Amino acid sequence: MELPKEYANSVMVLTCGSKAEGGSCDVYLIGTAHVSEESCREVEAIVSYMKPEVVFVELCASRLSILTPQAVKIASKLDVLPGAEFRVAYEEAVKYGGQVILGDRPVQITLKRTWAKMPIWHKVKFLYGLVFQAVFLPSPEELEKMLKAMNDVDMLTLVIQQMSKEFPSLMDTLVHERDKYMSCMLSRVACEHSSVVAVVGRGHLQGIKKNWDQPINMKDLLEIPKNKSVFTVKNVLKSLAVLVIGAAIVSRIYLAGRS
């Protein structure tokens, strides 16, 4: 099927052989900005128009709650829930009886691989940023203004790209490895069906295309590297908690002594 011209520029088409009738499958990749009303409208229109056998979304079982209308918004002022395009795709597929497949690598594996590949100093720096710089997060009003200005950008990938300047391993585990994983999963799905629409972040489009029809070792992508160091997330958080509580106690004693 040919898409209307207004949507054709937002879609990348990949093809592979298939066991389904016709012997081949066209995969329509929709690249979204994750936090964008326009992306939601495009996904709704394209899935509704094409009615593919399968709708493939950049989610794993642990993030399934995004597909429910009851999902809580991160910021009450925002009009669009991050990842809302996946729920729109799901709802459109349900309307005509299409199959929805969660095609992303389990987030727990991605996070564990990310942490294991970080040098010790990067781990310290990363946790420091999470714990002590959270107070500098923008207000809901500022966040909404930023998102509107970046409406055509895959914001999540952009953030990862910026962070990878300080933490180089992030880009590898959070983007490149998932590109390979989703490309392989998408190819497996396409080989069994005649039409697929995939909804993924815009930052994954080129990576999925690059790995299309390439040999990918999924076992390696799902393996958790062994980390023999005692410097684990759990141990670090315990230490930070002790430091924060200790500082609070010392401050109270100091202030009480001066009163």
Side-chain angles (χ1 to χ4, degrees), residues 35-54:
V35 186
S36 165
E37 290 185 55
E38 181 61 29
S39 286
C40 289
R41 285 194 290 269
E42 285 184 351
V43 168
E44 181 179 17
I46 293 171
V47 174
S48 176
Y49 177 80
M50 302 205 69
K51 293 181 174 55
E53 278 188 83
V54 174

Side-chain angles (χ1 to χ4, degrees), residues 223-239:
E223 185 178 37
I224 308 298
K226 292 182 179 179
N227 189 355
K228 297 180 181 179
S229 171
V230 296
F231 198 84
T232 62
V233 179
K234 186 177 181 180
N235 290 339
V236 171
L237 290 179
K238 281 183 178 179
S239 300

Side-chain angles (χ1 to χ4, degrees), residues 158-204:
L158 184 64
V159 169
I160 295 170
Q161 287 173 340
Q162 291 299 316
M163 291 179 67
S164 66
K165 293 176 182 178
E166 293 187 66
F167 311 104
S169 62
L170 291 183
M171 199 66 187
D172 186 36
T173 54
L174 298 181
V175 178
H176 299 322
E177 287 187 358
R178 291 172 57 224
D179 288 346
K180 292 179 181 179
Y181 184 91
M182 287 191 286
S183 184
C184 184
M185 289 293 290
L186 193 52
S187 178
R188 289 178 181 181
V189 171
C191 286
E192 301 290 336
H193 300 86
S194 59
S195 60
V196 178
V197 165
V199 183
V200 301
R202 204 159 285 159
H204 289 292

Side-chain angles (χ1 to χ4, degrees), residues 43 47 54-60 63-64 66-67 83 85-91 93 99-105 178 182 185-186 196-201:
V43 168
V47 174
V54 174
V55 173
F56 177 106
V57 292
E58 182 198 326
L59 290 176
C60 64
R63 291 178 286 155
L64 197 59
I66 289 177
L67 300 181
E85 72 272 27
F86 302 133
R87 180 158 62 88
V88 169
Y90 168 76
E91 291 173 346
Q99 182 182 359
V100 178
I101 289 180
L102 309 179
D104 201 359
R105 182 171 65 182
R178 291 172 57 224
M182 287 191 286
M185 289 293 290
L186 193 52
V196 178
V197 165
V199 183
V200 301

